[in-house]
Amino acid sequence: MNQQKYLMAIDAGTGSVRAVIFDTKGNQISVSQAEWTHLEEEGVTNSMSFDFESNWELVCACIKESILNAGINAEDILGLSATSMREGIVLYDENGKELWAVANVDARASDEVRYLKDNFEGIEEEFYASSGQTFALGALPRIMWLKNNRPNLYERVANISMIGDWILAKLSGVIATDPSNGGTTGVFSLSKRSWDKEMATKVGLKDDIFPSVLEVGEVMGTVSEKAASETSLSTLTKVVMGGGDVQLGSAGLGVVEAGDVAVLGGSFWQQVVNIPKNTKPPKDMGIRVNPHVIDSLSQAEGITFFSGLVMRWFRDAFCDMEKIEADKRGMDVYTLLEEKARKVPIGSYDIMPIFSDTMKYGKWYHAAPSFLNLNIDANICNRASMFRSLEENAAIVSSINLEKIKEFSGIEIEEIVFAGGASRGALWSQILADVTGYRVKIPKVTEATALGAAMAAGVGCGIYKDLVSAAKELVVWDKTYEPNMKNKKIYDAIKVKWQKAYETQLKLVDEKITTSMWKAPGL
């Protein structure tokens, strides 16, 4: 009888790290998760440091516990891969020892972003045309910050990688990156899928710190003896190149062909559309473009800020009564809120939430959080109608971002794969279908990002031919929502009004009457 074999995925997200074990059919066997926090560096405004020493201990603990929970022999794990929040970077010295690291939305380099824009006219536009990234979360301003503020550390920098790559480097001893994650540094060519070192040269930074680029699914080596002793993994287990969380998550959702679309409804919402890798990014720098984990594709990406976090805030700030009721009825509070919101008519009595703006990647800031057009009739304006207005608004902002992507890419959209916590809401899923006018499909998988990383490990171990065939084999569908085109017409009119209202709210920020919810560095 054949011994069952397994694949491990290590997923380093913004708020936590998890180790997930799958069998080779894509069934989840065990998971171990640990929360981590990224603290502001003392005296450094808007910084978000990544504590590689204590975070490595958390990674090791999760790996050990997931093997223990699965009740398997470590030798039966054929291969592992990792995925991580993008934009976070780790810098190493010549011996491969970590020197300095930051997590994804570290925004310490405002002065450096401004310096680059003021002293190198048109350089951000030039780099964006090649990389699909702006300076806002890019690596160059942060490395420049290090040069300006920690020159002794900067002098010792010999290598750079992303956070998922750092995990693989700790396990295999090999520092490398892949296009989907490395591409978010902005020091990268979309069409060549490799570093564009000249960018660093042009702005006076080291250009010899960029490691090998491997495609997702390429074998880096096996688990080193040191890592095996720290993690209880076997030295026979292959270490395989992974990728960025959104792109590997897309693979885990079956979004692997040109023209495939996903809306990922987490703390932030992402709207991603697969486009051929030679598609030129839009001239207005409105949308982000990343290399995909499929080597012939890039991904156009819209982002909606804080959609999931706003829901959590609304629940915790206003819905104590619903929490008590949900507890009594043995149900999730969001399910209860959706039940009540179903009775609210489309348009939520004209309540307009002002939270995330649509994607304006080149010059991005948001208005102050608010609800406009509230009514003082408590039967009309209450928690149920405000909750529904938030669900509608997240779908409206997503649909505008998708329209922007369609405009520059020429891609026709037919259906959307909806995943993440938000996709568990039946009402929210139907609203997304109605607002966009596209069929919405919900996959069964709950750990799409980890499944994508396990697929990468499986490709490296020869279990799957490539990521496309792995996705076709492993992704299973749960529900489908068809759009109501009558409702779409109502939402189209709301969308126009909301955009005008948002523009006016941004003017209040410009006039320093209200405070922006978030501003990109350098604005």
Side-chain angles (χ1 to χ4, degrees), residues 103-149:
N104 51 4
V105 291
D106 178 274
R108 72 181 69 211
S110 275
D111 291 347
E112 284 70 21
V113 170
R114 221 168 283 122
Y115 168 82
L116 288 167
K117 289 181 179 184
D118 291 350
N119 291 276
F120 299 87
E121 203 183 323
I123 201 163
E124 188 171 32
E125 291 77 0
E126 180 197 323
F127 288 3
Y128 172 82
S130 167
S131 69
Q133 312 289 317
T134 64
F135 286 144
L137 297 174
L140 290 176
R142 290 162 171 177
I143 296 169
M144 189 170 273
W145 181 92
L146 193 70
K147 184 182 179 182
N148 293 340
N149 295 277

Side-chain angles (χ1 to χ4, degrees), residues 94-281:
E94 61 185 4
N95 301 314
K97 185 159 172 40
E98 308 96 320
L99 288 169
W100 186 80
V102 294
N104 51 4
V105 291
D106 178 274
R108 72 181 69 211
S110 275
D111 291 347
E112 284 70 21
V113 170
R114 221 168 283 122
Y115 168 82
L116 288 167
K117 289 181 179 184
D118 291 350
N119 291 276
F120 299 87
E121 203 183 323
I123 201 163
E124 188 171 32
E125 291 77 0
E126 180 197 323
F127 288 3
Y128 172 82
S130 167
S131 69
Q133 312 289 317
T134 64
F135 286 144
L137 297 174
L140 290 176
R142 290 162 171 177
I143 296 169
M144 189 170 273
W145 181 92
L146 193 70
K147 184 182 179 182
N148 293 340
N149 295 277
R150 308 279 187 274
N152 293 344
L153 272 185
Y154 173 78
E155 285 309 316
R156 291 166 57 203
V157 174
N159 229 326
I160 181 173
S161 86
M162 314 308 285
I163 286 168
D165 306 328
W166 162 75
I167 290 170
L168 298 176
K170 294 288 282 185
L171 291 170
S172 68
V174 177
I175 299 172
T177 196
D178 92 294
S180 69
N181 211 345
T184 66
T185 60
V187 197
F188 223 82
S189 159
L190 280 169
S191 57
K192 292 179 188 156
R193 292 177 70 83
S194 63
W195 297 109
D196 188 341
K197 298 174 185 180
E198 271 190 24
M199 291 179 179
T201 317
K202 276 183 181 170
V203 299
L205 293 173
K206 292 182 177 193
D207 59 6
D208 57 356
I209 63 170
F210 301 103
S212 308
V213 178
L214 305 176
E215 284 293 345
V216 177
E218 282 193 54
V219 177
M220 301 169 71
T222 53
V223 173
S224 70
E225 283 187 12
K226 182 175 189 291
S229 70
E230 291 174 317
T231 60
S232 80
L233 284 163
S234 161
T235 53
L236 301 173
T237 298
K238 286 180 178 172
V239 179
V240 182
M241 179 48 74
D245 56 4
V246 168
Q247 294 95 318
L248 265 182
S250 301
L253 298 169
V255 179
V256 290
E257 308 271 13
D260 286 354
V261 178
V263 172
L264 310 172
S267 302
F268 289 58
W269 277 31
Q270 281 108 356
Q271 305 82 32
V272 293
V273 181
N274 289 353
I275 59 177
K277 71 176 179 185
N278 293 321
T279 311
K280 293 208 176 330

Side-chain angles (χ1 to χ4, degrees), residues 128 132 190 271 273-276 278-290 298-302 401-411:
Y128 172 82
L190 280 169
Q271 305 82 32
V273 181
N274 289 353
I275 59 177
N278 293 321
T279 311
K280 293 208 176 330
K283 286 199 159 54
D284 69 354
M285 299 205 302
I287 289 286
R288 181 183 200 182
V289 185
N290 305 301
S298 290
Q299 266 191 344
E301 181 180 343
N401 284 343
L402 287 174
E403 282 162 20
K404 287 182 182 182
I405 293 169
K406 269 176 72 173
E407 215 172 281
F408 87 86
S409 68
I411 292 279

Side-chain angles (χ1 to χ4, degrees), residues 308-379:
L309 294 175
V310 166
M311 277 303 192
R312 193 165 78 188
W313 160 77
F314 183 78
R315 178 199 69 189
D316 294 344
F318 301 111
C319 300
D320 286 351
M321 300 298 288
E322 282 76 10
K323 283 181 180 176
I324 293 163
E325 188 184 338
D327 206 33
K328 273 184 191 159
R329 289 172 61 187
M331 68 198 293
D332 182 81
V333 67
Y334 289 121
T335 309
L336 176 70
L337 284 162
E338 280 211 336
E339 188 183 283
K340 293 175 187 282
R342 272 182 193 284
K343 297 171 187 155
V344 176
I346 288 168
S348 308
Y349 300 113
D350 299 324
I351 296 168
M352 276 191 201
I354 301 292
F355 290 92
S356 179
D357 196 0
T358 56
M359 183 93 174
K360 295 184 175 75
Y361 194 39
K363 190 186 179 187
W364 207 11
Y365 66 108
H366 303 285
S370 53
F371 286 94
L372 302 183
N373 225 20
L374 297 180
N375 192 303
I376 57 167
D377 180 345
N379 295 313

Side-chain angles (χ1 to χ4, degrees), residues 59-79:
V59 173
C60 292
C62 284
I63 292 172
K64 281 180 186 166
E65 190 179 51
S66 68
I67 296 170
L68 209 60
N69 291 349
I72 62 172
N73 293 323
E75 292 78 35
D76 293 328
I77 300 171
L78 293 176

